[in-house]
Amino acid sequence: MKRTTYAGLVDESFVGQEVVLKGWVQKRRDLGALIFISLRDREGIVQLVFSEEFSADALKVADEMRSEYVIEIHGMVKARDAKAINADMKTGKIEVEVHEASILAEAKTTPFEIVDGVEASDDLRLKYRYLDLRRPEMQRNLKIRSKVTKATHDFLDEEGFFDIETPYLAKSTPEGARDYLVPSRVYPGSFYALPQSPQLFKQLLMGAGFDRYYQVARAFRDEDLRGDRQPEFTQLDVEMSFMDQEEIQELVGAWVARIMKDAIDVDVQPEDFPVLDWAESMARFGTDKPDLRIAYELKDISPIAAKSAFGVFSGTIENGGVVKGIAVPGGADNYSRKDLDKLTQYIERFGAKGLAWVKVTDDGFNGPVAKFLNDQHDEIVAAMDAKVGDILLFVAAKEKVVAGALDYLRRQTAADLNLIDENKWAFAWVVNWPLFEYQEEDDRWIAAHHPFTMPNVEDLHFLDEGEDPHQAHAQSYDLVLNGYELGSGSIRIHTMDVQEKMLKALGFTNEAAHEAFGFLLDAMEFGFPPLGGIALGLDRLAMLLAGQENIREVIAFPKNASAKDVMSDAPQPVAKQQIVTDLGLTAPVYAENAGQPNMAEE
Amino acid sequence: MKRTTYAGLVDESFVGQEVVLKGWVQKRRDLGALIFISLRDREGIVQLVFSEEFSADALKVADEMRSEYVIEIHGMVKARDAKAINADMKTGKIEVEVHEASILAEAKTTPFEIVDGVEASDDLRLKYRYLDLRRPEMQRNLKIRSKVTKATHDFLDEEGFFDIETPYLAKSTPEGARDYLVPSRVYPGSFYALPQSPQLFKQLLMGAGFDRYYQVARAFRDEDLRGDRQPEFTQLDVEMSFMDQEEIQELVGAWVARIMKDAIDVDVQPEDFPVLDWAESMARFGTDKPDLRIAYELKDISPIAAKSAFGVFSGTIENGGVVKGIAVPGGADNYSRKDLDKLTQYIERFGAKGLAWVKVTDDGFNGPVAKFLNDQHDEIVAAMDAKVGDILLFVAAKEKVVAGALDYLRRQTAADLNLIDENKWAFAWVVNWPLFEYQEEDDRWIAAHHPFTMPNVEDLHFLDEGEDPHQAHAQSYDLVLNGYELGSGSIRIHTMDVQEKMLKALGFTNEAAHEAFGFLLDAMEFGFPPLGGIALGLDRLAMLLAGQENIREVIAFPKNASAKDVMSDAPQPVAKQQIVTDLGLTAPVYAENAGQPNMAEE
């Protein structure tokens, strides 16, 4: 029997029609002479009715059916009695009287029920991922992801982009995170690296004259995992020639608008995306990826604090620090001392020594430090744009500490008090980034974006001998959505003289630069066009559009927090022959008498 | 200046319009007061004219221009004088008078000219791939490839397939070719494998209820390279539930027709694709991927040969062999003894001991063995479907040797005599394959397709205890185009009892089967739908559609014959710290005093 439609699509328009449906048994209600089966497929659930009246044979088969059995049925769609109508179900006005039925596959009891909001540990969900993915929510998540890529293919194809694949067995490059390596059998002791991005290849494709390239590209980073990181992730990667930053931002905006429309039917106006200077974003929000759904911003009260009776404030200013704060609307009644102690504790991780807070009341400030601040009450209220009922949270420290702490406090308080409109899609561009960024751990300057980022034209001279390159800003642009960085783009350097200066500023000797990027430097000598691009993180974008909080929810087969696929149990030891003989490597498990299990060894 | 159109698109419809063009200098003709520049971009070439009359400044800039310089110009499109019209060029009726010009990037002399039919070694082309890719032919090749994937996205999306990504960091599986391995840092001594196909994952996605999945998936095999192999290659991979073989073939046919239409504007009728039984294909063409553009087929003259005066023929039959031949139209006049000696020599590699040939003339057979065969002249001519002017090529040996040799001879002679219509697209389905295939090197039976292939229903009993599983045939289907295997598909096993029997027949102990495929066997216990699919080789498909003979021509950055990227020089030794400290491995170059160069070591 050939399926006529999906179970989840059978609505009242099918009444009186015969249908063949195939899918999974969601639930079975056995009334003896009458059996009800909820049949599930990827589009939804429909109610089947088995009875002797319709088919004694089918009823007998239904008697055997259990949850998650795979079945096929042939039946007639009937309108339900008025009292049996389920208004919450798309198929709730009808049911299917079954005339023929068969079981295509049986099922054991599943380790968790196949429903949304399942109570199962993450590892259990991952181990039985093929069952977890049956849940309607996971089906929807991956469907949205699929629509994001389809919208991308459609839009970029219409705009004249070619879909070009770049290698996954590539060269290890010295910048960036730790590479995943792939040992070579032909050259023992040599390794390919799985790319952290197609960056060099896409620049070369512009040098090759393709003009507009895109790729849905997998990328790999062997980093310690966090909530929103995976060893492999996917980029919607584009590069184009002969376009300036403004033109690229315009095109990317239109692309993102298309994705929003096609994937979740939301209209956004890219011409209205705010464009924030990086420095402005840091000043107003304490972060380079501000969540613009939150109305209140960081306010600098340093000039007031300098004259403050509160020693912590005035002392901080004297020592070259700043005092900034946020006014959280309605916070006065909603934060207990205990809550505030918790917030204080949390911001210690940003280096903040403490949190100063006052509640704004009709009778002036209220709280432990109110007595020091009430003298400047009106000045502070004006600077903070505060009103009665607000709580004011201040951090006094070095600029960077204040930014980190207040960015956190802004997002946390907005979440606590439900001040974020979950139906809002707040895009923004953050532009004009510093070209370099200081890395404290290694006490060195690294490229803020990557070593191929073009400085602002008026800043080019900073790369010259005797100047301070770290003052240069870049032709770079990040796209931000609801407080997440969706993608990071820039105009690239396209001439060798600038590229060599940039690499020198990053501490590369001429020799090391050519060892690492020689082929790109070579290519720049043969007529390289002006170029730029961006890569959007597909996982994060799909996560946001699906309303999820972890990218694992939009990846079919993710790794767990220790980079393990707990379903297939990868990684694993493999045959000694392959490691030792073929690749010329020695791994601990293959050392003599290591006594390790080695399943594939003969 | 913002580009107004591509150089290659400026035709007579632009006459009288101002244009801004950006691209590469193809050629420069300097007549002193007049300079002609051919400007190239991805869409083609247009002629620019610089003269004092239009702009003295621009003329001065043009004087600096050299081949492959990147330039931008602003000018006016004019019709050419009648005598200057170049009918071979799309833009040959016009030229652009240049009013403003600037050089965006200079270029050294390129190691080879940027034209089609370039005379450069493969390694030189690969080393300067970014220049090689500038050639119009390579631009066209990758454009066709891009259109193949776009057509795939469009068609499969319309048919309700979800684009779902599966992991590249996966588990090593015991079947198939050698895996590329990726050492794990978290679990030293353990390895991920780069997948040879998404086979297991796509089956699990059907178990997860997605119903229809597709992916443009990279796959990896660490095999010795041949002309049409690369360490990484791309599959157009699909899987679907609840469909039988016929329905899948119908859908795939429609998909391929869409690709042909969208990528190269060719109409094919999938309902007319011949469907050949595997055994029939082997008998008629000596191969399971027949080139149906060649009219002549293998003819079995064993019954005649058994009675032959030619001892080689009769002796072969006595020893259980066969005698088959082909009648090559017009071959009598076109093959010298020397040519035939060469063919004879070549077929030795298939195990053939010799080649018997006769020319068909008005006076009977002609050639060294004609005297033995002329007695049976009419019988042979009838069996071979031969006519005067043909040459008959016979091979007498075991079935398999005869098949290999005559398949070769059929294709070679057709190529020699230009008997192949290059404008024809000969698709075919080859179905009903043996389930197992005997591997001589290892003296064992392996899965002809893969271990998840569903046997024909009437052959299921062959997998039972005491029966001979090697007699079973499979629900499998290969799609063939012009003598190339485009893709290999099958209905999969969806119940554990059959899967376990299959793995047992392949020599897996129960324990080894669960070690290797346990998660799939587990999944089959929780309600697995009937399923099937196919994977088309994108590289080969794009190669054929682009009229190329090597997949390297449709891959932007391929590896060379020793799996090396000669442009970026990958693979390479990497930092000792990463190998030894992070991954816990020992590679020869990091052994004490190995004295090997190690660029990244500190």
Side-chain angles (χ1 to χ4, degrees), chain A residues 3 6 42 108 134 145 160 165 168-169 179 187 192 207 211 232 234 525 527 559 562-563 578 586, chain B residues 3 6 42 108 134 145 160 165 168-169 179 187 191-192 207 211 232 234 525 527 559 562-563 578 586:
Chain A
R3 179 174 61 192
Y6 286 107
R42 77 174 197 197
K108 291 198 305 192
R134 285 184 192 170
R145 184 185 178 109
E165 293 161 278
Y168 287 145
L169 294 172
D179 287 321
Y187 304 95
Y192 304 97
D211 203 68
E232 49 184 308
T234 304
E525 295 204 284
K559 306 289 190 290
S562 62
Q578 197 171 350
T586 309
Chain B
R3 179 173 63 191
Y6 285 107
R42 76 173 198 197
K108 291 198 308 192
R134 286 185 190 170
R145 184 185 179 109
E165 293 161 278
Y168 288 143
L169 294 171
D179 286 322
Y187 304 94
F191 298 81
Y192 304 97
D211 202 69
E232 49 184 307
T234 304
E525 295 203 284
K559 305 288 189 293
S562 62
Q578 197 171 349
T586 310

Side-chain angles (χ1 to χ4, degrees), chain B residues 72-103:
Chain B
E72 66 176 4
I73 65 99
H74 177 206
M76 171 71 78
V77 182
K78 291 284 170 77
R80 292 196 196 184
D81 291 344
K83 62 180 194 304
I85 284 177
N86 181 343
D88 296 338
M89 271 174 85
K90 193 166 142 199
T91 64
K93 288 186 178 144
I94 59 94
E95 58 193 14
V96 181
E97 294 177 0
V98 178
H99 301 132
E100 282 175 76
S102 54
I103 290 170

Side-chain angles (χ1 to χ4, degrees), chain A residues 396-438:
Chain A
K398 286 203 179 134
E399 178 86 49
K400 199 177 167 183
V401 170
V402 169
L406 283 176
D407 166 42
Y408 165 76
L409 289 172
R410 180 171 170 269
R411 288 181 291 111
Q412 186 58 50
T413 51
D416 289 345
L417 305 186
N418 284 318
L419 298 173
I420 298 174
D421 179 353
E422 298 287 350
N423 293 313
K424 213 167 157 185
W425 300 95
F427 287 92
W429 287 105
V430 178
V431 303
N432 198 27
W433 289 61
L435 188 57
F436 298 94
E437 135 188 320
Y438 181 68

Side-chain angles (χ1 to χ4, degrees), chain A residues 362-398:
Chain A
D362 286 324
D363 308 319
F365 293 146
N366 201 332
V369 301
K371 57 179 175 283
F372 304 114
L373 301 183
N374 263 329
D375 277 357
Q376 296 175 296
H377 177 274
D378 292 358
E379 243 184 311
I380 291 174
V381 164
M384 295 297 297
D385 210 1
K387 56 191 181 317
V388 170
D390 291 358
I391 190 168
L392 309 186
L393 306 178
F394 298 106
V395 180
K398 286 203 179 134

Side-chain angles (χ1 to χ4, degrees), chain A residues 324-356:
Chain A
K324 293 185 176 188
I326 51 174
V328 184
D333 289 343
N334 284 290
Y335 280 98
S336 66
R337 292 231 170 181
K338 216 172 121 190
D339 296 336
L340 291 159
D341 285 349
K342 243 196 223 157
L343 292 179
T344 308
Q345 216 172 2
Y346 199 93
I347 62 171
E348 280 171 12
R349 73 182 63 181
F350 300 99
K353 293 261 162 43
L355 173 66

